[in-house]
Amino acid sequence: MDGRTDSSSMWLGAPLEQLPTPALTLDQATVRRNAERMQERCRALGLRLRPHVKTHKTLPQALALLRQHPLPPGKRWLVWLKLDCGNGRAGVRPTDPAAMALARAIAQDAPEEVTLVGVYAHCGDTYGCRDVPAIQSIARATTAAVLDFVTALRQAGVSCPQATIGSTPSCSHPVPEMAQLTELHPGNYLFYDLQQTLLGSCHLEEVAIRVLTRVIGHYPHRNQLLVDCGWAALSLHGRDQVPMGCAAIEGHPQLRLVGLTQEHGQVEAINGQLDFERFPLGSVLALIPFHACATAAMHPVYYVHAVGKVVELWHPVRGW
């Protein structure tokens, strides 16, 4: 987070219902509890926690920095080698001979400038699981693959002091084998979201993030409410994956977000006729997003609240 001050500062101390919508809000106490709970899980395993701050993107400037600012004498680049242990997104496969060759090159080709500090794997394949035992099975297999590779490195004379894995589902239900690692690096756990509740990573009351939106239109002829939150404030992630789509509407299980344009959302009753009198124009609904990271990337400010009022403004770093 940076310390910028902008027009959003006028909302400090304001009740949530007065915020300009759509507005991304975070419950301060819930965020704190989520952070403390993950720290305690890591302490219980004897591991460090390295939060993956995936909602706050930064520019990949390492190469430019190296060219502009050569490392001072005695300083080295600390490099992590990413392993693909079944996720199928990025990294080298630990069973591939090229993985060993790459690790050896990082560790030994330029020892005055580069140090292989460790290996890590993102077990993102946990997001395809249907229950906690399946998540834990992947976490166990990923841990074993990482540790086997580290053992092979050390037997080959390649120093590799750190070994780590991460994903919010696996770190929310850690297995004892993880204690053999050195740290964990989950990312989504600070906010959680609807997807994580469906995976069993958290309970709904542990989801800290909401997007507030106002009812701006009644359309009885199509039995719909129109709200001022579209995909530009929510993202389309989850639209075709679960019955509730991109978001659930807090406190109103009888309602469903059925359509999103860039700046508008359409809300219908799951069954029967909408009671329009319950949702007058200007009334506020709270959306629980399917994927907090995708939603957070849409917003220039997060309104952090306690006891119904804004107490902090967080400005995420923009860009990649």
Side-chain angles (χ1 to χ4, degrees):
M1 299 298 178
D2 63 27
R4 287 199 308 263
T5 301
D6 58 21
S7 61
S8 61
S9 62
M10 66 183 291
W11 300 107
L12 276 171
L16 289 181
E17 60 269 17
Q18 293 182 8
L19 289 177
T21 51
L24 190 153
T25 67
L26 296 171
D27 185 280
Q28 185 184 57
T30 304
V31 169
R32 183 175 290 119
R33 284 194 298 269
N34 289 344
E36 292 171 350
R37 191 178 299 111
M38 190 61 73
Q39 287 175 331
E40 181 53 39
R41 291 189 186 112
C42 289
R43 278 195 295 267
L45 290 167
L47 304 178
R48 292 188 303 271
L49 171 63
R50 184 189 295 267
H52 180 194
V53 192
K54 61 186 296 187
T55 58
H56 317 304
K57 310 284 188 187
T58 55
L59 297 174
Q61 297 173 326
L63 183 59
L65 286 171
L66 177 60
R67 290 170 176 166
Q68 296 171 17
H69 309 285
L71 288 172
K75 297 293 184 179
R76 297 179 177 86
W77 288 106
L78 303 180
V79 177
W80 290 81
L81 176 63
K82 187 166 187 176
L83 300 178
D84 175 7
C85 298
N87 184 35
R89 184 170 71 181
V92 293
R93 293 176 298 177
T95 55
D96 190 332
M100 177 66 72
L102 179 58
R104 189 188 299 276
I106 295 170
Q108 299 176 353
D109 281 8
E112 299 302 315
E113 298 178 354
V114 176
T115 296
L116 177 64
V117 67
V119 296
Y120 76 105
H122 172 55
C123 39
D125 37 347
T126 52
Y127 283 89
C129 294
R130 295 184 177 272
D131 53 36
V132 171
I135 289 170
Q136 292 181 318
S137 177
I138 288 176
R140 195 171 285 112
T142 303
T143 298
V146 167
L147 292 173
D148 286 349
F149 185 71
V150 170
T151 297
L153 285 177
R154 292 170 180 167
Q155 290 174 346
V158 178
S159 175
C160 183
Q162 309 293 339
T164 176
I165 71 167
S167 83
T168 288
S170 61
C171 296
S172 295
H173 294 284
V175 294
E177 289 86 346
M178 287 181 179
Q180 301 173 70
L181 300 166
T182 56
E183 63 183 40
L184 300 179
H185 60 93
N188 176 278
Y189 72 96
L190 202 62
F191 294 175
Y192 280 128
D193 51 32
L194 191 60
Q195 178 178 216
Q196 297 293 344
T197 68
L198 298 173
L199 288 166
S201 303
C202 65
H203 299 293
L204 195 58
E205 60 269 21
E206 294 169 328
V207 178
I209 185 173
R210 302 289 188 276
V211 176
L212 303 186
T213 183
R214 279 189 168 81
V215 176
I216 58 173
H218 288 175
Y219 293 88
H221 66 282
R222 62 178 192 242
N223 199 32
Q224 286 184 343
L225 302 173
L226 192 69
V227 296
D228 64 359
C229 177
W231 55 256
L234 190 62
S235 96
L236 289 173
H237 198 180
R239 178 178 59 176
D240 302 318
Q241 294 179 253
V242 290
M244 65 284 292
C246 304
I249 303 174
E250 185 174 33
H252 299 287
Q254 79 281 15
L255 298 181
R256 180 176 60 181
L257 189 63
V258 296
L260 288 171
T261 61
Q262 182 175 348
E263 296 174 336
H264 300 92
Q266 296 165 308
V267 174
E268 291 182 356
I270 291 178
N271 293 299
Q273 188 67 25
L274 259 175
D275 183 358
F276 289 93
E277 292 185 359
R278 287 191 61 192
F279 308 101
L281 296 179
S283 57
V284 176
L285 298 174
L287 306 179
I288 307 172
F290 179 81
H291 187 190
C293 306
T295 297
M298 305 290 187
H299 291 261
V301 60
Y302 309 157
Y303 297 94
V304 182
H305 62 91
V307 198
K309 292 187 177 181
V310 177
V311 293
E312 290 184 76
L313 301 170
W314 291 358
H315 296 275
V317 175
R318 309 299 288 172
W320 291 94

